[in-house]
Amino acid sequence: LTKLNFGAVYFGDVQKYKAEILNNGPATVNFLVKLTKRDDAEAAAAMQDDNDDDPDKVEDSEDLEKRNVSALFMAARLRGWQQNTKDNFITVSPGRGTIGPYEKKTIEFTFAPKQDKKSKGFHSNKDPLSIHDLMQTFLCSVSFQGYHRKLKIPIFGKGVQAGLQLVPPKLKFGDVKGYEHADCMVLVENENDDL
């Protein structure tokens, strides 16, 4: 998986995508998944981190333990930030875990766009649907304990609003005598070009 694009999803809907992490080595590995909101996620995924520029660098056990404790604190802080931020529509589960030798672990990405704007009944002025679209871009970094390299995946999703219209927009029943009825056929159309 080098890129994940959820495409256009209606506000209020949920779309999920599953991916697998494979440990192709003989040792058990701990992993940590971090989502960062970035507009330049694709470019950032192609670049190496400043910490990754020396793959031959060897850390002693004390430095490694400090880094692991720091990573756990950062993961807890990130989870708290994501819970307190309303505009993060992309989540990943599990955010961390352990993979045994030659095992696979499934992680699930969820895109659930929500619209904060409250709609109050009908209005006569019609806004273009595109002004309600909300694009989300994240960089997903998967780090492994004891390894300097990270897997980096740009993730994209677009929240869109359904644009329903009735055809014809006005119903004319004409004169209807008492105890009789008149029918009108109404067609409901979605004006949104994304879906």
Side-chain angles (χ1 to χ4, degrees):
L1 182 66
T2 57
K3 184 193 298 187
L4 176 55
N5 190 350
F6 284 100
V9 178
Y10 286 128
F11 289 113
D13 280 355
V14 176
Q15 189 168 349
K16 298 185 178 191
Y17 185 86
K18 291 185 179 180
E20 288 184 338
I21 302 175
L22 171 65
N23 177 5
N24 59 0
T28 299
V29 176
N30 294 326
F31 70 92
L32 176 68
V33 182
K34 184 171 94 170
L35 289 174
T36 309
K37 195 171 182 181
R38 292 186 70 154
D39 292 333
D40 63 340
E42 207 158 6
M47 294 179 2
Q48 290 186 358
D49 283 343
D50 295 335
N51 298 333
D52 292 343
D53 56 0
D54 186 5
D56 297 326
K57 179 181 174 186
V58 178
E59 294 179 303
D60 60 21
S61 60
E62 187 176 320
D63 286 342
L64 183 61
E65 188 172 326
K66 285 180 186 175
R67 192 168 61 115
N68 291 338
V69 169
S70 175
L72 290 176
F73 281 120
M74 286 301 292
R77 186 180 294 172
L78 181 66
R79 278 195 308 277
W81 175 76
Q82 286 178 336
Q83 289 170 356
N84 294 329
T85 306
K86 294 180 180 178
D87 62 345
N88 289 346
F89 305 147
I90 300 174
T91 56
V92 61
S93 178
R96 66 175 175 212
T98 303
I99 308 175
Y102 306 106
E103 287 184 355
K104 294 178 183 178
K105 186 82 168 185
T106 301
I107 58 174
E108 185 174 69
F109 297 93
T110 303
F111 181 53
K114 295 182 184 77
Q115 191 176 28
D116 288 337
K117 181 182 173 186
K118 303 290 183 192
S119 298
K120 294 184 178 179
F122 295 99
H123 55 86
S124 59
N125 294 335
K126 193 172 181 183
D127 295 331
L129 288 173
S130 59
I131 70 166
H132 301 290
D133 293 353
L134 190 56
M135 187 70 182
Q136 291 268 296
T137 307
F138 280 79
L139 178 65
C140 175
S141 299
V142 184
S143 56
F144 301 93
Q145 182 179 2
Y147 295 91
H148 298 287
R149 305 294 291 208
K150 296 178 181 176
L151 297 176
K152 296 179 188 175
I153 307 161
I155 303 176
F156 308 95
K158 181 178 178 184
V160 297
Q161 177 175 299
L164 300 179
Q165 75 169 3
L166 299 178
V167 179
K170 295 179 181 178
L171 300 180
K172 295 181 180 178
F173 288 98
D175 294 333
V176 181
K177 294 182 180 179
Y179 300 105
E180 292 188 4
H181 73 278
D183 296 328
C184 281
M185 183 172 279
V186 177
L187 182 65
V188 180
E189 293 180 344
N190 183 3
E191 291 182 295
N192 197 320
D193 295 332
D194 288 319
L195 292 170

